[in-house]
Amino acid sequence: MDKDRIEAVLKETRSFEPPEAFRLRARVKSEEEYEAEYRRSIEDPEGYWGEIAGELEWFEPWQKVLEWNPPHAKWFTGGKTNVSYNALDRHLATWRRNKAAIVWEGEPGDTRTLTYHELHREVSRFANVLRRLGVKKGDRVTLYMPMIPEAAVAMLACARIGAVHSVVFGGFSASALAERIKDAGSEVLITADGGWRRGQVVPLKEAADEAVRETGIVKHVVVVRRTGQEVPMEPGRDHWYHELVEGVEGEAPPEPMDSEDPLFILYTSGSTGKPKGVLHTTGGYMTYTFHTARTVFDLKDDDTYWCTADVGWITGHSYIVYGPLLNGATVVMYEGAPNHPEPDRFWEIVDKHGVTVLYTAPTAIRAFMRWGEQWPMKHRLDSLRLLGTVGEPINPEAWLWYYRVIGKERCPIVDTWWQTETGGIMITTLPGAHRMKPGFAGKPFFGIAPEIVDGEGNPIREPDQGGYLVITKPWPSMLRTVWGDPERFVNQYWSQYPGKYFTGDGARRDAEGYYLILGRVDDVINISGHRLGTMEVESALVSHPAVAEAAVVARPDPIKGEAIVAFVTPVGDVEPSEALAEELKAHVVKVIGAIARPAEIRFAAALPKTRSGKIMRRLLRQIAAGQEEISGDISTLEDRSVVEQLKKGK
Ligand code: WT7
């Protein structure tokens, strides 16, 4: 938890009304409208969500909107539908048939536009290909892709035939990929010969090959040609995407899916070493992402919407692919880095494609601030009308910069709090309805019932008190389980406060009902909006032969939000050195991926432990943050000299 940020939020008393020009056209136009709809959504959730789901197409109607046997929720039971049908076919009978669905820009500057008609054809073709490879409803298909249209095509093709996709972020290492393939039991992997990042080719196929070797269960690897570089192709196992789809029919009947049939698995970090396969299902996820996307981003048919996330994260699933396409929106997709070839790439893209709604992360905004105002100033940015942020808490300074320099004080900002597990946006301001307070996420979305509780689970009703953030009612896109580990689902989310969903975040609510997210209260850290478990990094470190013991904590970082500091005890005869520190950093990158690279390794002869042997992380966090005076109780510390050593042990 970053105390400086929280202090800054509380000191920043300015608030900002939604610009009048925006409000007049907004979907939700006032606080009163929001209040009325919110009340209805809470008092009659079945009526409310039934009405929203009814705007989408169902092959067979549901019998019951909600069956709630805590912690198990079923939404739209008995209903049959298909998400790809709703995201594509539903638009083909309308004028949207020839509307741009995906406007893609590659890092080298190449572009492609797919209309809904074309996207439907591509998805159907690839759905047929997958069926021919033997993929059936319920089978898991892993994707390890760059940000190219085929990533969205492959996701939608899986959804079309009822296969469960598991997208693994292209920045993860071969061994992280292997672990996820094995856990999901995927026999099919979809990847590419590479992708572009800062002018370099990301060698996805190489990592994919290594992962496939390690798992021994993958039968087919489909490879999209993106960079054109030579990659080895294993006969019988590896297939070029363009060869598979050639001449294949562009119509594929969508599989009728039960509302509770799985749609996808997405792995995310928790407080143990092993990532969790968060499972989302069909009807509820579809309904919730459809409704949040249009409401929070105020989507209109003439919008050009750009979410800068990667499809490897939940943001990419819900707000690049599913939510916007379910609404028939035009979605911009960009392959590469924000500062390639120059730090104004994003602003160039905004002007080039006429982006109206931009959704990005605080870490990106802080990097733009550092690069300087001159870069956005080179561009008009006058197509923008709404800005969003997601992934981590935003500091008021970054909020105000975004508002002034990018939005020119014309564009409302939505600071959207949610999680992989929640499937969709849970707390935010609504852009035409709510006054904005920099640093506060805002108010609950329709149907969402947050609560702040103390350690015993008692609701804290007075304003401005910190506590744990829980959700007291089920919502359509909540995770249904942890893949292959139903106990972990119950233990992780529903056991702290029975009957309530535990978010893992701390929060406080002000007198007007605005939520301020304080940050994680568990062993999850947030680096540039990417979630990592401290235990994951620790187990990567101890897998190195020179490491006896490791403890990982986060320290506040001005750009990334948080950075990793690892305290390491080397094995007996190993001398700590700068070279070893570098080697260990590279080792973590190899085991997990570049996002997990420790910013700092500190060697110590021993780690501070309580007399019962528990590592004192609170103490390590203080040391990592450079605090001279260690506060709090250290009376249980076994060996006090350790603290002095660690402070020095750079
Ligand atoms: C964690 C979830 C949801 C998409 C990306 C991250 C933090 C997320 C905000 C926000 C403060 C935020 C929370 C949350 N977080 N959005 N607007 N303000 N914190 O998804 O990887 O599942 O991480 O990200 O700590 O628990 P995720």
Side-chain angles (χ1 to χ4, degrees):
M1 201 174 297
D2 182 352
K3 289 216 183 74
D4 293 345
R5 178 187 66 92
I6 293 158
E7 261 168 41
V9 173
L10 298 176
K11 257 192 236 140
E12 177 55 66
T13 51
R14 276 176 292 173
S15 65
F16 299 83
E17 290 292 340
E20 197 54 19
F22 188 98
R23 184 202 287 276
L24 289 171
R25 286 193 68 215
R27 278 178 178 265
V28 184
K29 292 187 174 59
S30 65
E31 181 74 46
E32 294 69 42
E33 268 185 38
Y34 162 80
E35 288 294 343
E37 189 165 340
Y38 181 72
R39 211 170 313 121
R40 188 164 73 87
S41 71
I42 293 293
E43 283 165 8
D44 178 20
E46 296 199 39
Y48 183 80
W49 289 113
E51 212 170 274
I52 308 288
E55 294 183 51
L56 295 160
E57 288 198 34
W58 296 73
F59 308 141
E60 279 177 39
W62 59 85
Q63 269 108 48
K64 191 143 179 29
V65 171
L66 172 65
E67 274 177 36
W68 178 225
N69 300 306
H72 303 288
K74 288 185 179 161
W75 285 87
F76 312 110
T77 52
K80 296 250 189 297
T81 185
N82 182 290
V83 182
S84 122
Y85 184 87
N86 273 289
L88 301 168
D89 308 47
R90 202 168 65 88
H91 308 305
L92 297 190
T94 72
W95 68 271
R96 288 186 186 134
R97 180 180 189 84
N98 293 318
K99 177 179 175 179
I102 296 179
V103 175
W104 173 81
E105 179 153 329
E107 197 189 68
D110 45 342
T111 59
R112 270 167 75 191
T113 298
L114 289 158
T115 64
Y116 274 91
H117 170 68
E118 289 165 331
L119 183 61
H120 172 265
R121 192 178 54 205
E122 286 306 307
V123 168
S124 303
R125 270 202 186 128
F126 195 55
N128 285 325
V129 162
L130 290 174
R131 280 182 173 143
R132 275 178 216 181
L133 290 176
V135 180
K136 296 179 304 299
K137 179 178 171 182
D139 290 350
R140 279 80 55 213
V141 172
T142 298
L143 275 64
Y144 186 60
M145 307 274 282
M147 281 291 288
I148 54 177
E150 285 79 3
V153 169
M155 289 165 76
L156 290 161
C158 287
R160 196 159 190 91
I161 66 170
V164 182
H165 60 68
S166 164
V167 185
V168 177
F169 172 57
F172 277 121
S173 70
S175 64
L177 173 61
E179 186 181 4
R180 288 158 176 77
I181 291 174
K182 278 190 281 192
D183 190 83
S186 301
E187 296 183 351
V188 175
L189 173 65
I190 305 165
T191 186
D193 59 358
W196 293 103
R197 183 87 193 168
R198 289 204 181 87
Q200 305 282 315
V201 172
V202 182
L204 294 168
K205 179 63 167 61
E206 206 179 293
D209 285 340
E210 202 182 316
V212 167
R213 265 197 305 279
E214 203 178 313
T215 64
I217 59 168
V218 176
K219 296 200 177 109
H220 296 288
V221 180
V222 179
V223 187
V224 179
R225 180 170 279 162
R226 162 65 188 132
T227 58
Q229 64 157 7
E230 283 255 357
V231 292
M233 295 290 280
E234 173 110 3
R237 186 198 73 182
D238 297 356
H239 320 270
W240 286 109
Y241 177 96
H242 60 272
E243 288 178 3
L244 290 176
V245 297
E246 203 186 300
V248 171
E249 218 213 321
E251 288 288 342
E255 190 75 35
M257 301 294 283
D258 189 275
S259 178
E260 283 301 333
D261 277 336
L263 177 64
F264 66 84
I265 301 168
L266 184 58
Y267 287 87
T268 190
S269 298
S271 44
T272 71
K274 195 172 173 293
K276 301 177 274 203
V278 167
L279 183 80
H280 284 289
T281 57
T282 300
Y285 177 84
M286 173 174 83
T287 302
Y288 196 78
T289 54
F290 166 67
H291 193 40
T292 47
R294 67 181 178 181
T295 312
V296 176
F297 301 114
D298 193 51
L299 287 178
K300 309 279 168 45
D301 256 315
D302 54 1
D303 274 314
T304 301
Y305 163 90
W306 182 24
C307 165
T308 69
D310 189 285
V311 289
W313 309 111
I314 190 68
T315 309
H317 284 60
S318 302
Y319 299 111
I320 294 179
V321 180
Y322 291 114
L325 297 180
L326 283 163
N327 283 288
T330 294
V331 176
V332 172
M333 193 173 171
Y334 169 57
E335 180 186 30
N339 54 353
H340 188 85
E342 299 272 17
D344 62 344
R345 186 60 185 273
F346 272 24
W347 320 124
E348 187 188 292
I349 292 174
V350 166
D351 276 8
K352 178 166 165 191
H353 299 291
V355 171
T356 58
V357 180
L358 175 69
Y359 190 30
T360 193
T363 187
I365 298 165
R366 290 190 298 261
F368 296 137
M369 288 171 74
R370 175 168 290 189
W371 295 335
E373 267 176 52
Q374 69 276 19
W375 295 105
M377 294 303 251
K378 287 169 68 175
H379 302 270
R380 300 176 58 90
L381 306 183
D382 57 353
S383 55
L384 290 171
R385 66 179 194 93
L386 172 59
L387 305 174
T389 85
V390 63
E392 50 179 318
I394 191 165
N395 46 313
E397 197 192 350
W399 194 101
L400 290 162
W401 189 91
Y402 197 30
Y403 188 67
R404 178 176 61 82
V405 180
I406 306 304
K408 317 284 183 203
E409 297 174 16
R410 279 185 299 107
C411 305
I413 295 179
V414 289
D415 175 359
T416 62
W417 174 87
W418 57 297
Q419 310 177 300
T420 305
E421 293 87 341
T422 69
I425 293 166
M426 303 287 279
I427 297 179
T428 177
T429 52
L430 288 186
H434 291 134
R435 199 155 32 87
M436 298 163 275
K437 303 183 186 184
F440 282 81
K443 298 196 174 192
F445 189 74
F446 302 130
I448 302 304
E451 193 172 81
I452 293 174
V453 297
D454 65 20
E456 271 74 61
N458 307 309
I460 301 177
R461 297 195 207 281
E462 321 78 85
D464 304 327
Q465 305 288 316
Y468 301 107
L469 181 63
V470 299
I471 312 291
T472 63
K473 287 175 191 293
W475 64 101
S477 65
M478 63 188 245
L479 80 162
R480 298 301 195 263
T481 190
V482 172
W483 181 260
D485 200 348
E487 273 172 36
R488 194 166 175 197
F489 167 70
V490 177
N491 295 340
Q492 185 73 45
Y493 304 104
W494 301 94
S495 301
Q496 289 84 352
Y497 311 110
K500 296 173 182 178
Y501 169 82
F502 177 59
T503 63
D505 279 313
R508 47 189 277 174
R509 188 180 48 229
D510 74 6
E512 291 180 308
Y514 282 67
Y515 285 81
L516 166 59
I517 307 296
L518 302 173
R520 299 292 303 200
V521 294
D522 52 10
D523 293 325
V524 168
I525 47 188
N526 192 326
I527 296 147
S528 304
H530 302 321
R531 196 166 140 180
L532 275 176
T534 50
M535 293 256 288
E536 256 176 287
V537 184
E538 287 164 7
S539 40
L541 282 164
V542 295
S543 74
H544 189 282
V547 176
E549 202 175 23
V552 163
V553 296
R555 73 154 140 73
D557 181 273
I559 301 284
K560 295 178 172 178
E562 290 187 329
I564 294 176
V565 178
F567 294 87
V568 169
T569 329
V571 290
D573 49 355
V574 172
E575 274 300 307
S577 68
E578 200 46 49
L580 178 60
E582 286 310 307
E583 193 180 318
L584 294 181
K585 288 179 190 174
H587 180 71
V588 174
V589 172
K590 175 102 181 67
V591 176
I592 303 175
I595 50 170
R597 186 187 182 85
E600 200 183 305
I601 304 252
R602 291 196 183 201
F603 293 105
L607 297 176
K609 291 188 184 163
T610 62
R611 285 182 202 116
S612 61
K614 278 181 72 178
I615 293 177
M616 298 178 85
R617 288 173 186 285
R618 176 180 49 80
L619 204 156
L620 290 177
R621 273 193 288 270
Q622 294 181 20
I623 296 171
Q627 231 166 285
E628 269 306 310
E629 289 301 311
I630 302 301
S631 61
D633 184 12
I634 55 165
S635 59
T636 53
L637 181 64
E638 200 189 34
D639 176 0
R640 279 159 193 263
S641 69
V642 165
V643 175
E644 288 314 310
Q645 251 183 57
L646 285 171
K647 280 204 235 163
K648 283 187 253 121
K650 285 239 204 185

